[in-house]
Amino acid sequence: VFAIYDFDVSVDGNKLGTMDHGTTRDFDADLAEGKHILTVSEKGNASVDGSIDFEVTESSNLRFAVKTHESNIDVTQIPIVRAPFASADAEGWRQQDVRQQFVDAGFENVSVEEVGDLPPDQTDKVDQVHSIAINGSDQYAKTDNFYSDANVIIKYHILANIHPPMNESDAHGKNYQEVIDAFTAAGFSNIHVEAEKTADQGKDGQVTNMRICGFGFSVDDAFYPSHDVDIEYWQDRKST
């Protein structure tokens, strides 16, 4: 059972300070190289505590996580990890592969974000890495150290949103092939047509209805190139 209370922090029995629950704080301690013990105890109640052994080598920057319970405290050391490659080395890589490499390297908080910046003729670049930031910085070396809970954000390219070349209402009555050509030129890739038979030869080929993703639309609406475009048109009954 989790419990909320402030706690005291000590190393080798020497108190470093007190922390408020739910906060992060840095402590400086002059420690000799070798093994030491970090102890965390409820403020004013040393019987509720937790400890962990850790080792100091040269000038160490160590980080710990604390979880408070009613009868005890869990203390864990957050590992230090390194990026699987330098920031400049990921150009052209797929975001799925890059994410997996960071996970395999020990990073725990890896997320991805889309950047809709590609024109329709650059589909080969979809999913390629745009940038990688660790704790907000997109410049890092393979030799740089990070805590495993560092925030890694991988941004990657996708196709930019596109706009219909005409309003839905303006498509009505136009030749369906002209409408197909206009939407293809605008970047739409999933265009479906359906003919309805008519005895009126004057209507042959005219668009009767249009939808994108099943809804009406205007030139101000934005869509993905892969969204479905449905066109219905009249076809002369005598046509085969």
Side-chain angles (χ1 to χ4, degrees), residues 84-96:
F85 45 77
S87 55
D89 294 339
E91 183 177 355
W93 292 11
R94 298 294 179 183
Q95 59 91 4
Q96 300 95 328

Side-chain angles (χ1 to χ4, degrees), residues 82-87 89 140-145:
R82 288 184 175 179
F85 45 77
S87 55
D89 294 339
Y140 59 86
K142 188 175 181 179
T143 56
D144 292 342
N145 290 329

Side-chain angles (χ1 to χ4, degrees), residues 156-174:
Y156 64 97
H157 299 285
I158 63 169
L159 293 176
N161 286 341
I162 56 178
H163 298 276
M166 62 188 74
N167 295 317
E168 173 204 351
S169 58
D170 295 333
H172 294 178
K174 289 184 179 295

Side-chain angles (χ1 to χ4, degrees), residues 17-170:
T18 300
M19 288 188 63
D20 295 332
H21 187 276
T23 63
T24 300
R25 180 177 173 184
D26 294 331
F27 293 102
D28 293 323
D30 187 10
L31 302 175
E33 292 188 23
K35 295 186 179 296
H36 299 272
I37 300 176
L38 173 71
T39 301
V40 177
S41 59
E42 181 180 355
K43 183 179 179 181
N45 182 12
S47 64
V48 178
D49 66 354
S51 62
I52 187 173
D53 296 337
F54 67 94
E55 187 168 0
V56 171
T57 58
E58 298 180 356
S59 180
S60 298
N61 290 314
L62 305 177
R63 189 171 182 176
F64 299 88
V66 175
K67 292 182 179 180
T68 55
H69 305 273
E70 289 185 355
S71 58
N72 69 295
I73 299 176
D74 293 332
V75 185
T76 56
Q77 184 172 353
I78 298 175
I80 292 177
V81 296
R82 288 184 175 179
F85 45 77
S87 55
D89 294 339
E91 183 177 355
W93 292 11
R94 298 294 179 183
Q95 59 91 4
Q96 300 95 328
D97 297 332
V98 170
R99 183 185 184 280
Q100 189 59 52
Q101 288 196 48
F102 271 92
V103 171
D104 291 344
F107 287 86
E108 301 167 0
N109 298 318
V110 184
S111 60
V112 294
E113 294 182 4
E114 298 176 344
V115 179
D117 61 347
L118 296 178
D121 61 349
Q122 293 188 11
T123 56
D124 59 313
K125 295 184 179 179
V126 170
D127 273 348
Q128 287 187 5
V129 170
H130 172 277
S131 64
I132 304 172
I134 304 178
N135 286 337
S137 175
D138 59 3
Q139 299 294 321
Y140 59 86
K142 188 175 181 179
T143 56
D144 292 342
N145 290 329
F146 299 94
Y147 294 112
S148 62
D149 63 350
N151 288 316
V152 179
I153 300 178
I154 303 168
K155 295 184 178 181
Y156 64 97
H157 299 285
I158 63 169
L159 293 176
N161 286 341
I162 56 178
H163 298 276
M166 62 188 74
N167 295 317
E168 173 204 351
S169 58
D170 295 333

